[in-house]
PDB file of all heavy atoms in Angstrom:
ATOM      1  N   GLY A 127     -12.548   6.621  15.496  1.00  0.00           N
ATOM      2  CA  GLY A 127     -12.569   7.387  14.237  1.00  0.00           C
ATOM      3  C   GLY A 127     -13.748   7.082  13.318  1.00  0.00           C
ATOM      4  O   GLY A 127     -13.843   7.622  12.252  1.00  0.00           O
ATOM      5  N   TYR A 128     -14.602   6.130  13.787  1.00  0.00           N
ATOM      6  CA  TYR A 128     -15.744   5.734  12.978  1.00  0.00           C
ATOM      7  C   TYR A 128     -17.035   6.051  13.697  1.00  0.00           C
ATOM      8  O   TYR A 128     -17.135   5.724  14.887  1.00  0.00           O
ATOM      9  CB  TYR A 128     -15.742   4.275  12.619  1.00  0.00           C
ATOM     10  CG  TYR A 128     -14.415   3.816  11.912  1.00  0.00           C
ATOM     11  CD1 TYR A 128     -13.402   3.283  12.577  1.00  0.00           C
ATOM     12  CD2 TYR A 128     -14.332   3.953  10.495  1.00  0.00           C
ATOM     13  CE1 TYR A 128     -12.226   2.859  11.943  1.00  0.00           C
ATOM     14  CE2 TYR A 128     -13.192   3.594   9.832  1.00  0.00           C
ATOM     15  CZ  TYR A 128     -12.141   3.027  10.613  1.00  0.00           C
ATOM     16  OH  TYR A 128     -10.993   2.605   9.945  1.00  0.00           O
ATOM     17  N   ALA A 129     -18.011   6.628  13.010  1.00  0.00           N
ATOM     18  CA  ALA A 129     -19.282   6.900  13.623  1.00  0.00           C
ATOM     19  C   ALA A 129     -20.046   5.611  13.847  1.00  0.00           C
ATOM     20  O   ALA A 129     -20.769   5.522  14.847  1.00  0.00           O
ATOM     21  CB  ALA A 129     -20.102   7.829  12.775  1.00  0.00           C
ATOM     22  N   SER A 130     -19.864   4.662  13.021  1.00  0.00           N
ATOM     23  CA  SER A 130     -20.565   3.382  13.121  1.00  0.00           C
ATOM     24  C   SER A 130     -19.780   2.284  12.406  1.00  0.00           C
ATOM     25  O   SER A 130     -18.814   2.568  11.670  1.00  0.00           O
ATOM     26  CB  SER A 130     -21.972   3.500  12.509  1.00  0.00           C
ATOM     27  OG  SER A 130     -21.900   3.699  11.096  1.00  0.00           O
ATOM     28  N   PHE A 131     -20.245   1.052  12.530  1.00  0.00           N
ATOM     29  CA  PHE A 131     -19.484   0.001  11.835  1.00  0.00           C
ATOM     30  C   PHE A 131     -19.777   0.017  10.349  1.00  0.00           C
ATOM     31  O   PHE A 131     -18.957  -0.492   9.591  1.00  0.00           O
ATOM     32  CB  PHE A 131     -19.875  -1.395  12.409  1.00  0.00           C
ATOM     33  CG  PHE A 131     -18.936  -2.470  12.029  1.00  0.00           C
ATOM     34  CD1 PHE A 131     -17.653  -2.490  12.447  1.00  0.00           C
ATOM     35  CD2 PHE A 131     -19.348  -3.483  11.199  1.00  0.00           C
ATOM     36  CE1 PHE A 131     -16.763  -3.485  12.036  1.00  0.00           C
ATOM     37  CE2 PHE A 131     -18.495  -4.472  10.809  1.00  0.00           C
ATOM     38  CZ  PHE A 131     -17.158  -4.493  11.243  1.00  0.00           C
ATOM     39  N   SER A 132     -20.857   0.622   9.922  1.00  0.00           N
ATOM     40  CA  SER A 132     -21.090   0.748   8.507  1.00  0.00           C
ATOM     41  C   SER A 132     -20.056   1.619   7.856  1.00  0.00           C
ATOM     42  O   SER A 132     -19.657   1.461   6.682  1.00  0.00           O
ATOM     43  CB  SER A 132     -22.496   1.297   8.218  1.00  0.00           C
ATOM     44  OG  SER A 132     -22.587   2.628   8.717  1.00  0.00           O
ATOM     45  N   ASP A 133     -19.422   2.570   8.547  1.00  0.00           N
ATOM     46  CA  ASP A 133     -18.343   3.375   8.093  1.00  0.00           C
ATOM     47  C   ASP A 133     -17.046   2.520   7.955  1.00  0.00           C
ATOM     48  O   ASP A 133     -16.288   2.708   7.036  1.00  0.00           O
ATOM     49  CB  ASP A 133     -18.058   4.560   9.006  1.00  0.00           C
ATOM     50  CG  ASP A 133     -19.179   5.585   8.983  1.00  0.00           C
ATOM     51  OD1 ASP A 133     -19.888   5.641   8.024  1.00  0.00           O
ATOM     52  OD2 ASP A 133     -19.284   6.326  10.023  1.00  0.00           O
ATOM     53  N   VAL A 134     -16.903   1.615   8.863  1.00  0.00           N
ATOM     54  CA  VAL A 134     -15.778   0.653   8.727  1.00  0.00           C
ATOM     55  C   VAL A 134     -15.898  -0.182   7.497  1.00  0.00           C
ATOM     56  O   VAL A 134     -14.919  -0.333   6.691  1.00  0.00           O
ATOM     57  CB  VAL A 134     -15.684  -0.248   9.989  1.00  0.00           C
ATOM     58  CG1 VAL A 134     -14.537  -1.277   9.834  1.00  0.00           C
ATOM     59  CG2 VAL A 134     -15.561   0.528  11.234  1.00  0.00           C
ATOM     60  N   ILE A 135     -17.066  -0.693   7.237  1.00  0.00           N
ATOM     61  CA  ILE A 135     -17.352  -1.483   6.051  1.00  0.00           C
ATOM     62  C   ILE A 135     -17.142  -0.685   4.802  1.00  0.00           C
ATOM     63  O   ILE A 135     -16.505  -1.156   3.821  1.00  0.00           O
ATOM     64  CB  ILE A 135     -18.737  -2.027   6.047  1.00  0.00           C
ATOM     65  CG1 ILE A 135     -18.932  -3.079   7.247  1.00  0.00           C
ATOM     66  CG2 ILE A 135     -19.166  -2.747   4.730  1.00  0.00           C
ATOM     67  CD1 ILE A 135     -20.374  -3.511   7.476  1.00  0.00           C
ATOM     68  N   ALA A 136     -17.604   0.596   4.814  1.00  0.00           N
ATOM     69  CA  ALA A 136     -17.449   1.427   3.634  1.00  0.00           C
ATOM     70  C   ALA A 136     -15.976   1.674   3.378  1.00  0.00           C
ATOM     71  O   ALA A 136     -15.594   1.662   2.150  1.00  0.00           O
ATOM     72  CB  ALA A 136     -18.131   2.749   3.847  1.00  0.00           C
ATOM     73  N   GLN A 137     -15.139   1.812   4.372  1.00  0.00           N
ATOM     74  CA  GLN A 137     -13.716   1.995   4.101  1.00  0.00           C
ATOM     75  C   GLN A 137     -13.117   0.796   3.590  1.00  0.00           C
ATOM     76  O   GLN A 137     -12.233   0.825   2.616  1.00  0.00           O
ATOM     77  CB  GLN A 137     -13.017   2.414   5.399  1.00  0.00           C
ATOM     78  CG  GLN A 137     -11.541   2.801   5.167  1.00  0.00           C
ATOM     79  CD  GLN A 137     -10.904   3.236   6.442  1.00  0.00           C
ATOM     80  OE1 GLN A 137     -10.625   2.482   7.353  1.00  0.00           O
ATOM     81  NE2 GLN A 137     -10.627   4.562   6.490  1.00  0.00           N
ATOM     82  N   LEU A 138     -13.405  -0.378   4.062  1.00  0.00           N
ATOM     83  CA  LEU A 138     -12.874  -1.681   3.566  1.00  0.00           C
ATOM     84  C   LEU A 138     -13.250  -1.855   2.119  1.00  0.00           C
ATOM     85  O   LEU A 138     -12.416  -2.232   1.321  1.00  0.00           O
ATOM     86  CB  LEU A 138     -13.416  -2.819   4.381  1.00  0.00           C
ATOM     87  CG  LEU A 138     -12.861  -3.003   5.784  1.00  0.00           C
ATOM     88  CD1 LEU A 138     -13.546  -4.234   6.472  1.00  0.00           C
ATOM     89  CD2 LEU A 138     -11.348  -3.252   5.784  1.00  0.00           C
ATOM     90  N   ARG A 139     -14.502  -1.582   1.788  1.00  0.00           N
ATOM     91  CA  ARG A 139     -14.934  -1.725   0.382  1.00  0.00           C
ATOM     92  C   ARG A 139     -14.258  -0.722  -0.511  1.00  0.00           C
ATOM     93  O   ARG A 139     -13.963  -1.031  -1.709  1.00  0.00           O
ATOM     94  CB  ARG A 139     -16.438  -1.604   0.281  1.00  0.00           C
ATOM     95  CG  ARG A 139     -17.181  -2.749   1.029  1.00  0.00           C
ATOM     96  CD  ARG A 139     -18.669  -2.808   0.689  1.00  0.00           C
ATOM     97  NE  ARG A 139     -18.837  -3.283  -0.666  1.00  0.00           N
ATOM     98  CZ  ARG A 139     -19.954  -3.367  -1.320  1.00  0.00           C
ATOM     99  NH1 ARG A 139     -21.068  -2.980  -0.715  1.00  0.00           N
ATOM    100  NH2 ARG A 139     -20.028  -3.774  -2.524  1.00  0.00           N
ATOM    101  N   SER A 140     -14.018   0.482  -0.027  1.00  0.00           N
ATOM    102  CA  SER A 140     -13.311   1.459  -0.781  1.00  0.00           C
ATOM    103  C   SER A 140     -11.874   1.049  -1.083  1.00  0.00           C
ATOM    104  O   SER A 140     -11.368   1.156  -2.225  1.00  0.00           O
ATOM    105  CB  SER A 140     -13.313   2.843  -0.044  1.00  0.00           C
ATOM    106  OG  SER A 140     -12.511   3.779  -0.686  1.00  0.00           O
ATOM    107  N   TRP A 141     -11.212   0.531  -0.071  1.00  0.00           N
ATOM    108  CA  TRP A 141      -9.834   0.053  -0.284  1.00  0.00           C
ATOM    109  C   TRP A 141      -9.792  -1.153  -1.232  1.00  0.00           C
ATOM    110  O   TRP A 141      -8.935  -1.155  -2.120  1.00  0.00           O
ATOM    111  CB  TRP A 141      -9.228  -0.424   1.031  1.00  0.00           C
ATOM    112  CG  TRP A 141      -8.943   0.635   2.015  1.00  0.00           C
ATOM    113  CD1 TRP A 141      -8.723   1.993   1.767  1.00  0.00           C
ATOM    114  CD2 TRP A 141      -8.748   0.554   3.396  1.00  0.00           C
ATOM    115  NE1 TRP A 141      -8.495   2.677   2.876  1.00  0.00           N
ATOM    116  CE2 TRP A 141      -8.439   1.813   3.959  1.00  0.00           C
ATOM    117  CE3 TRP A 141      -8.793  -0.541   4.340  1.00  0.00           C
ATOM    118  CZ2 TRP A 141      -8.225   2.034   5.331  1.00  0.00           C
ATOM    119  CZ3 TRP A 141      -8.528  -0.323   5.644  1.00  0.00           C
ATOM    120  CH2 TRP A 141      -8.249   1.024   6.117  1.00  0.00           C
ATOM    121  N   GLN A 142     -10.793  -1.965  -1.169  1.00  0.00           N
ATOM    122  CA  GLN A 142     -10.871  -3.124  -2.023  1.00  0.00           C
ATOM    123  C   GLN A 142     -11.133  -2.671  -3.496  1.00  0.00           C
ATOM    124  O   GLN A 142     -10.499  -3.186  -4.414  1.00  0.00           O
ATOM    125  CB  GLN A 142     -11.950  -4.066  -1.586  1.00  0.00           C
ATOM    126  CG  GLN A 142     -12.056  -5.356  -2.421  1.00  0.00           C
ATOM    127  CD  GLN A 142     -13.118  -6.285  -1.922  1.00  0.00           C
ATOM    128  OE1 GLN A 142     -14.280  -5.874  -1.653  1.00  0.00           O
ATOM    129  NE2 GLN A 142     -12.840  -7.580  -1.698  1.00  0.00           N
ATOM    130  N   ALA A 143     -12.049  -1.692  -3.697  1.00  0.00           N
ATOM    131  CA  ALA A 143     -12.310  -1.228  -4.995  1.00  0.00           C
ATOM    132  C   ALA A 143     -11.055  -0.579  -5.691  1.00  0.00           C
ATOM    133  O   ALA A 143     -10.842  -0.763  -6.839  1.00  0.00           O
ATOM    134  CB  ALA A 143     -13.485  -0.205  -4.959  1.00  0.00           C
ATOM    135  N   THR A 144     -10.316   0.076  -4.823  1.00  0.00           N
ATOM    136  CA  THR A 144      -9.094   0.716  -5.317  1.00  0.00           C
ATOM    137  C   THR A 144      -8.056  -0.396  -5.764  1.00  0.00           C
ATOM    138  O   THR A 144      -7.470  -0.225  -6.800  1.00  0.00           O
ATOM    139  CB  THR A 144      -8.469   1.588  -4.236  1.00  0.00           C
ATOM    140  OG1 THR A 144      -9.382   2.664  -3.893  1.00  0.00           O
ATOM    141  CG2 THR A 144      -7.164   2.245  -4.697  1.00  0.00           C
ATOM    142  N   ARG A 145      -7.944  -1.437  -4.946  1.00  0.00           N
ATOM    143  CA  ARG A 145      -7.052  -2.466  -5.363  1.00  0.00           C
ATOM    144  C   ARG A 145      -7.467  -3.158  -6.669  1.00  0.00           C
ATOM    145  O   ARG A 145      -6.644  -3.471  -7.506  1.00  0.00           O
ATOM    146  CB  ARG A 145      -6.925  -3.528  -4.221  1.00  0.00           C
ATOM    147  CG  ARG A 145      -6.230  -3.068  -2.986  1.00  0.00           C
ATOM    148  CD  ARG A 145      -5.853  -4.163  -2.038  1.00  0.00           C
ATOM    149  NE  ARG A 145      -7.024  -4.999  -1.676  1.00  0.00           N
ATOM    150  CZ  ARG A 145      -7.780  -4.753  -0.577  1.00  0.00           C
ATOM    151  NH1 ARG A 145      -7.486  -3.737   0.199  1.00  0.00           N
ATOM    152  NH2 ARG A 145      -8.795  -5.525  -0.281  1.00  0.00           N
ATOM    153  N   ILE A 146      -8.746  -3.418  -6.788  1.00  0.00           N
ATOM    154  CA  ILE A 146      -9.232  -4.047  -8.029  1.00  0.00           C
ATOM    155  C   ILE A 146      -9.001  -3.175  -9.222  1.00  0.00           C
ATOM    156  O   ILE A 146      -8.563  -3.606 -10.266  1.00  0.00           O
ATOM    157  CB  ILE A 146     -10.729  -4.352  -7.851  1.00  0.00           C
ATOM    158  CG1 ILE A 146     -10.943  -5.476  -6.839  1.00  0.00           C
ATOM    159  CG2 ILE A 146     -11.331  -4.856  -9.166  1.00  0.00           C
ATOM    160  CD1 ILE A 146     -12.372  -5.745  -6.464  1.00  0.00           C
ATOM    161  N   ARG A 147      -9.302  -1.898  -9.062  1.00  0.00           N
ATOM    162  CA  ARG A 147      -9.055  -0.963 -10.166  1.00  0.00           C
ATOM    163  C   ARG A 147      -7.627  -0.854 -10.536  1.00  0.00           C
ATOM    164  O   ARG A 147      -7.231  -0.867 -11.637  1.00  0.00           O
ATOM    165  CB  ARG A 147      -9.617   0.411  -9.749  1.00  0.00           C
ATOM    166  CG  ARG A 147      -9.472   1.462 -10.876  1.00  0.00           C
ATOM    167  CD  ARG A 147      -9.571   2.840 -10.279  1.00  0.00           C
ATOM    168  NE  ARG A 147      -8.468   3.103  -9.318  1.00  0.00           N
ATOM    169  CZ  ARG A 147      -8.498   4.099  -8.477  1.00  0.00           C
ATOM    170  NH1 ARG A 147      -9.514   4.905  -8.403  1.00  0.00           N
ATOM    171  NH2 ARG A 147      -7.434   4.274  -7.664  1.00  0.00           N
ATOM    172  N   ASP A 148      -6.723  -0.796  -9.467  1.00  0.00           N
ATOM    173  CA  ASP A 148      -5.337  -0.749  -9.795  1.00  0.00           C
ATOM    174  C   ASP A 148      -4.744  -1.909 -10.550  1.00  0.00           C
ATOM    175  O   ASP A 148      -3.945  -1.834 -11.414  1.00  0.00           O
ATOM    176  CB  ASP A 148      -4.526  -0.504  -8.488  1.00  0.00           C
ATOM    177  CG  ASP A 148      -4.740   0.854  -7.863  1.00  0.00           C
ATOM    178  OD1 ASP A 148      -5.265   1.704  -8.556  1.00  0.00           O
ATOM    179  OD2 ASP A 148      -4.337   1.068  -6.667  1.00  0.00           O
ATOM    180  N   ARG A 149      -5.299  -3.111 -10.165  1.00  0.00           N
ATOM    181  CA  ARG A 149      -4.914  -4.366 -10.874  1.00  0.00           C
ATOM    182  C   ARG A 149      -5.334  -4.288 -12.330  1.00  0.00           C
ATOM    183  O   ARG A 149      -4.618  -4.670 -13.226  1.00  0.00           O
ATOM    184  CB  ARG A 149      -5.515  -5.588 -10.190  1.00  0.00           C
ATOM    185  CG  ARG A 149      -4.873  -5.966  -8.868  1.00  0.00           C
ATOM    186  CD  ARG A 149      -5.308  -7.384  -8.486  1.00  0.00           C
ATOM    187  NE  ARG A 149      -4.751  -7.674  -7.149  1.00  0.00           N
ATOM    188  CZ  ARG A 149      -5.582  -7.565  -6.069  1.00  0.00           C
ATOM    189  NH1 ARG A 149      -6.789  -7.141  -6.134  1.00  0.00           N
ATOM    190  NH2 ARG A 149      -5.014  -7.893  -4.863  1.00  0.00           N
ATOM    191  N   GLN A 150      -6.563  -3.814 -12.546  1.00  0.00           N
ATOM    192  CA  GLN A 150      -7.071  -3.707 -13.916  1.00  0.00           C
ATOM    193  C   GLN A 150      -6.242  -2.730 -14.726  1.00  0.00           C
ATOM    194  O   GLN A 150      -5.909  -2.987 -15.882  1.00  0.00           O
ATOM    195  CB  GLN A 150      -8.513  -3.304 -13.914  1.00  0.00           C
ATOM    196  CG  GLN A 150      -9.440  -4.342 -13.358  1.00  0.00           C
ATOM    197  CD  GLN A 150     -10.838  -3.852 -13.138  1.00  0.00           C
ATOM    198  OE1 GLN A 150     -11.091  -2.638 -13.011  1.00  0.00           O
ATOM    199  NE2 GLN A 150     -11.872  -4.735 -13.060  1.00  0.00           N
ATOM    200  N   LEU A 151      -5.866  -1.595 -14.183  1.00  0.00           N
ATOM    201  CA  LEU A 151      -5.050  -0.594 -14.828  1.00  0.00           C
ATOM    202  C   LEU A 151      -3.686  -1.127 -15.089  1.00  0.00           C
ATOM    203  O   LEU A 151      -3.078  -0.873 -16.189  1.00  0.00           O
ATOM    204  CB  LEU A 151      -4.988   0.706 -14.020  1.00  0.00           C
ATOM    205  CG  LEU A 151      -6.276   1.472 -13.902  1.00  0.00           C
ATOM    206  CD1 LEU A 151      -6.126   2.664 -12.959  1.00  0.00           C
ATOM    207  CD2 LEU A 151      -6.798   1.927 -15.228  1.00  0.00           C
ATOM    208  N   ALA A 152      -3.098  -1.894 -14.138  1.00  0.00           N
ATOM    209  CA  ALA A 152      -1.805  -2.469 -14.315  1.00  0.00           C
ATOM    210  C   ALA A 152      -1.832  -3.538 -15.467  1.00  0.00           C
ATOM    211  O   ALA A 152      -0.889  -3.526 -16.285  1.00  0.00           O
ATOM    212  CB  ALA A 152      -1.311  -3.110 -13.034  1.00  0.00           C
ATOM    213  N   LEU A 153      -2.844  -4.323 -15.526  1.00  0.00           N
ATOM    214  CA  LEU A 153      -3.021  -5.271 -16.619  1.00  0.00           C
ATOM    215  C   LEU A 153      -3.093  -4.594 -17.958  1.00  0.00           C
ATOM    216  O   LEU A 153      -2.463  -4.993 -18.884  1.00  0.00           O
ATOM    217  CB  LEU A 153      -4.268  -6.159 -16.379  1.00  0.00           C
ATOM    218  CG  LEU A 153      -4.566  -7.152 -17.458  1.00  0.00           C
ATOM    219  CD1 LEU A 153      -3.421  -8.134 -17.711  1.00  0.00           C
ATOM    220  CD2 LEU A 153      -5.830  -7.903 -17.150  1.00  0.00           C
ATOM    221  N   ALA A 154      -3.965  -3.539 -18.004  1.00  0.00           N
ATOM    222  CA  ALA A 154      -4.119  -2.828 -19.278  1.00  0.00           C
ATOM    223  C   ALA A 154      -2.752  -2.171 -19.672  1.00  0.00           C
ATOM    224  O   ALA A 154      -2.385  -2.250 -20.871  1.00  0.00           O
ATOM    225  CB  ALA A 154      -5.132  -1.739 -19.102  1.00  0.00           C
ATOM    226  N   GLY A 155      -2.024  -1.636 -18.705  1.00  0.00           N
ATOM    227  CA  GLY A 155      -0.696  -1.017 -19.026  1.00  0.00           C
ATOM    228  C   GLY A 155       0.303  -2.078 -19.524  1.00  0.00           C
ATOM    229  O   GLY A 155       1.042  -1.812 -20.469  1.00  0.00           O
ATOM    230  N   ALA A 156       0.256  -3.213 -18.899  1.00  0.00           N
ATOM    231  CA  ALA A 156       1.170  -4.280 -19.315  1.00  0.00           C
ATOM    232  C   ALA A 156       0.848  -4.791 -20.738  1.00  0.00           C
ATOM    233  O   ALA A 156       1.719  -5.039 -21.560  1.00  0.00           O
ATOM    234  CB  ALA A 156       1.106  -5.484 -18.337  1.00  0.00           C
ATOM    235  N   LEU A 157      -0.474  -4.927 -20.984  1.00  0.00           N
ATOM    236  CA  LEU A 157      -0.883  -5.333 -22.314  1.00  0.00           C
ATOM    237  C   LEU A 157      -0.551  -4.335 -23.359  1.00  0.00           C
ATOM    238  O   LEU A 157      -0.163  -4.618 -24.507  1.00  0.00           O
ATOM    239  CB  LEU A 157      -2.336  -5.703 -22.345  1.00  0.00           C
ATOM    240  CG  LEU A 157      -2.788  -6.845 -21.524  1.00  0.00           C
ATOM    241  CD1 LEU A 157      -4.297  -6.976 -21.488  1.00  0.00           C
ATOM    242  CD2 LEU A 157      -2.186  -8.173 -22.043  1.00  0.00           C
ATOM    243  N   ARG A 158      -0.721  -3.046 -22.996  1.00  0.00           N
ATOM    244  CA  ARG A 158      -0.453  -1.924 -23.922  1.00  0.00           C
ATOM    245  C   ARG A 158       1.078  -1.911 -24.257  1.00  0.00           C
ATOM    246  O   ARG A 158       1.472  -1.704 -25.388  1.00  0.00           O
ATOM    247  CB  ARG A 158      -0.870  -0.629 -23.341  1.00  0.00           C
ATOM    248  CG  ARG A 158      -0.776   0.521 -24.320  1.00  0.00           C
ATOM    249  CD  ARG A 158      -1.376   1.836 -23.700  1.00  0.00           C
ATOM    250  NE  ARG A 158      -2.802   1.660 -23.527  1.00  0.00           N
ATOM    251  CZ  ARG A 158      -3.372   1.652 -22.359  1.00  0.00           C
ATOM    252  NH1 ARG A 158      -2.679   1.623 -21.236  1.00  0.00           N
ATOM    253  NH2 ARG A 158      -4.710   1.548 -22.268  1.00  0.00           N
ATOM    254  N   GLN A 159       1.885  -2.173 -23.183  1.00  0.00           N
ATOM    255  CA  GLN A 159       3.308  -2.181 -23.453  1.00  0.00           C
ATOM    256  C   GLN A 159       3.707  -3.288 -24.328  1.00  0.00           C
ATOM    257  O   GLN A 159       4.555  -3.172 -25.219  1.00  0.00           O
ATOM    258  CB  GLN A 159       4.085  -2.299 -22.097  1.00  0.00           C
ATOM    259  CG  GLN A 159       5.598  -2.203 -22.253  1.00  0.00           C
ATOM    260  CD  GLN A 159       6.050  -0.911 -22.849  1.00  0.00           C
ATOM    261  OE1 GLN A 159       5.616   0.140 -22.435  1.00  0.00           O
ATOM    262  NE2 GLN A 159       6.923  -0.996 -23.884  1.00  0.00           N
ATOM    263  N   MET A 160       3.080  -4.498 -24.110  1.00  0.00           N
ATOM    264  CA  MET A 160       3.288  -5.580 -24.976  1.00  0.00           C
ATOM    265  C   MET A 160       3.012  -5.269 -26.481  1.00  0.00           C
ATOM    266  O   MET A 160       3.747  -5.603 -27.389  1.00  0.00           O
ATOM    267  CB  MET A 160       2.532  -6.868 -24.537  1.00  0.00           C
ATOM    268  CG  MET A 160       2.963  -7.430 -23.266  1.00  0.00           C
ATOM    269  SD  MET A 160       1.789  -8.719 -22.661  1.00  0.00           S
ATOM    270  CE  MET A 160       1.736  -9.810 -24.148  1.00  0.00           C
ATOM    271  N   SER A 161       1.928  -4.597 -26.623  1.00  0.00           N
ATOM    272  CA  SER A 161       1.486  -4.195 -27.977  1.00  0.00           C
ATOM    273  C   SER A 161       2.445  -3.237 -28.598  1.00  0.00           C
ATOM    274  O   SER A 161       2.728  -3.308 -29.769  1.00  0.00           O
ATOM    275  CB  SER A 161       0.058  -3.579 -27.890  1.00  0.00           C
ATOM    276  OG  SER A 161      -0.838  -4.570 -27.441  1.00  0.00           O
ATOM    277  N   THR A 162       2.925  -2.291 -27.774  1.00  0.00           N
ATOM    278  CA  THR A 162       3.909  -1.352 -28.312  1.00  0.00           C
ATOM    279  C   THR A 162       5.185  -1.996 -28.728  1.00  0.00           C
ATOM    280  O   THR A 162       5.756  -1.618 -29.760  1.00  0.00           O
ATOM    281  CB  THR A 162       4.206  -0.242 -27.228  1.00  0.00           C
ATOM    282  OG1 THR A 162       3.026   0.355 -26.786  1.00  0.00           O
ATOM    283  CG2 THR A 162       5.188   0.799 -27.749  1.00  0.00           C
ATOM    284  N   ASP A 163       5.623  -3.002 -28.012  1.00  0.00           N
ATOM    285  CA  ASP A 163       6.806  -3.717 -28.379  1.00  0.00           C
ATOM    286  C   ASP A 163       6.664  -4.409 -29.694  1.00  0.00           C
ATOM    287  O   ASP A 163       7.611  -4.636 -30.450  1.00  0.00           O
ATOM    288  CB  ASP A 163       7.156  -4.747 -27.269  1.00  0.00           C
ATOM    289  CG  ASP A 163       7.568  -4.017 -25.967  1.00  0.00           C
ATOM    290  OD1 ASP A 163       7.925  -2.854 -26.083  1.00  0.00           O
ATOM    291  OD2 ASP A 163       7.570  -4.714 -24.952  1.00  0.00           O
ATOM    292  N   VAL A 164       5.465  -4.886 -29.977  1.00  0.00           N
ATOM    293  CA  VAL A 164       5.261  -5.619 -31.206  1.00  0.00           C
ATOM    294  C   VAL A 164       5.441  -4.688 -32.447  1.00  0.00           C
ATOM    295  O   VAL A 164       5.937  -5.116 -33.510  1.00  0.00           O
ATOM    296  CB  VAL A 164       3.815  -6.252 -31.219  1.00  0.00           C
ATOM    297  CG1 VAL A 164       3.527  -6.782 -32.630  1.00  0.00           C
ATOM    298  CG2 VAL A 164       3.715  -7.317 -30.222  1.00  0.00           C
ATOM    299  N   GLY A 165       5.048  -3.399 -32.266  1.00  0.00           N
ATOM    300  CA  GLY A 165       5.239  -2.483 -33.344  1.00  0.00           C
ATOM    301  C   GLY A 165       4.013  -1.965 -34.002  1.00  0.00           C
ATOM    302  O   GLY A 165       2.933  -2.470 -33.753  1.00  0.00           O
ATOM    303  N   GLY A 166       4.211  -0.969 -34.844  1.00  0.00           N
ATOM    304  CA  GLY A 166       3.050  -0.344 -35.498  1.00  0.00           C
ATOM    305  C   GLY A 166       2.371  -1.190 -36.506  1.00  0.00           C
ATOM    306  O   GLY A 166       1.206  -0.991 -36.809  1.00  0.00           O
ATOM    307  N   LEU A 167       3.092  -2.172 -37.039  1.00  0.00           N
ATOM    308  CA  LEU A 167       2.479  -3.022 -38.129  1.00  0.00           C
ATOM    309  C   LEU A 167       1.301  -3.816 -37.587  1.00  0.00           C
ATOM    310  O   LEU A 167       0.236  -3.883 -38.275  1.00  0.00           O
ATOM    311  CB  LEU A 167       3.535  -4.031 -38.645  1.00  0.00           C
ATOM    312  CG  LEU A 167       3.031  -4.998 -39.670  1.00  0.00           C
ATOM    313  CD1 LEU A 167       2.545  -4.227 -40.897  1.00  0.00           C
ATOM    314  CD2 LEU A 167       4.121  -5.958 -40.068  1.00  0.00           C
ATOM    315  N   ALA A 168       1.385  -4.381 -36.436  1.00  0.00           N
ATOM    316  CA  ALA A 168       0.240  -5.076 -35.807  1.00  0.00           C
ATOM    317  C   ALA A 168      -0.931  -4.157 -35.608  1.00  0.00           C
ATOM    318  O   ALA A 168      -2.051  -4.528 -35.795  1.00  0.00           O
ATOM    319  CB  ALA A 168       0.644  -5.722 -34.526  1.00  0.00           C
ATOM    320  N   ARG A 169      -0.649  -2.892 -35.254  1.00  0.00           N
ATOM    321  CA  ARG A 169      -1.670  -1.965 -34.959  1.00  0.00           C
ATOM    322  C   ARG A 169      -2.446  -1.701 -36.337  1.00  0.00           C
ATOM    323  O   ARG A 169      -3.662  -1.613 -36.368  1.00  0.00           O
ATOM    324  CB  ARG A 169      -1.169  -0.622 -34.418  1.00  0.00           C
ATOM    325  CG  ARG A 169      -2.219   0.402 -34.205  1.00  0.00           C
ATOM    326  CD  ARG A 169      -1.669   1.653 -33.530  1.00  0.00           C
ATOM    327  NE  ARG A 169      -1.172   1.404 -32.174  1.00  0.00           N
ATOM    328  CZ  ARG A 169       0.089   1.336 -31.856  1.00  0.00           C
ATOM    329  NH1 ARG A 169       1.019   1.484 -32.797  1.00  0.00           N
ATOM    330  NH2 ARG A 169       0.494   1.034 -30.668  1.00  0.00           N
ATOM    331  N   ALA A 170      -1.700  -1.486 -37.338  1.00  0.00           N
ATOM    332  CA  ALA A 170      -2.298  -1.184 -38.599  1.00  0.00           C
ATOM    333  C   ALA A 170      -3.098  -2.446 -39.103  1.00  0.00           C
ATOM    334  O   ALA A 170      -4.195  -2.281 -39.623  1.00  0.00           O
ATOM    335  CB  ALA A 170      -1.238  -0.850 -39.679  1.00  0.00           C
TER     336      ALA A 170
END
């Protein structure tokens, strides 16, 4: 399914980039939820 091993590497790096991005988004979501729980006063 791969034309060359560079295609294998590209797929591995793509999967890795997706995992890193998903972790960052999850962290941002968790922090945003924490902030929402604190309430609007802290935002102001």
Side-chain angles (χ1 to χ4, degrees):
Y128 302 96
S130 65
F131 195 66
S132 62
D133 291 336
V134 178
I135 295 172
Q137 185 176 74
L138 286 177
R139 297 194 68 187
S140 173
W141 290 341
Q142 184 178 48
T144 299
R145 290 195 302 270
I146 293 172
R147 182 198 61 195
D148 289 347
R149 287 194 186 97
Q150 292 171 338
L151 292 175
L153 174 60
L157 293 174
R158 188 176 292 112
Q159 184 60 47
M160 288 171 57
S161 301
T162 301
D163 293 342
V164 171
L167 179 60
R169 180 177 295 106

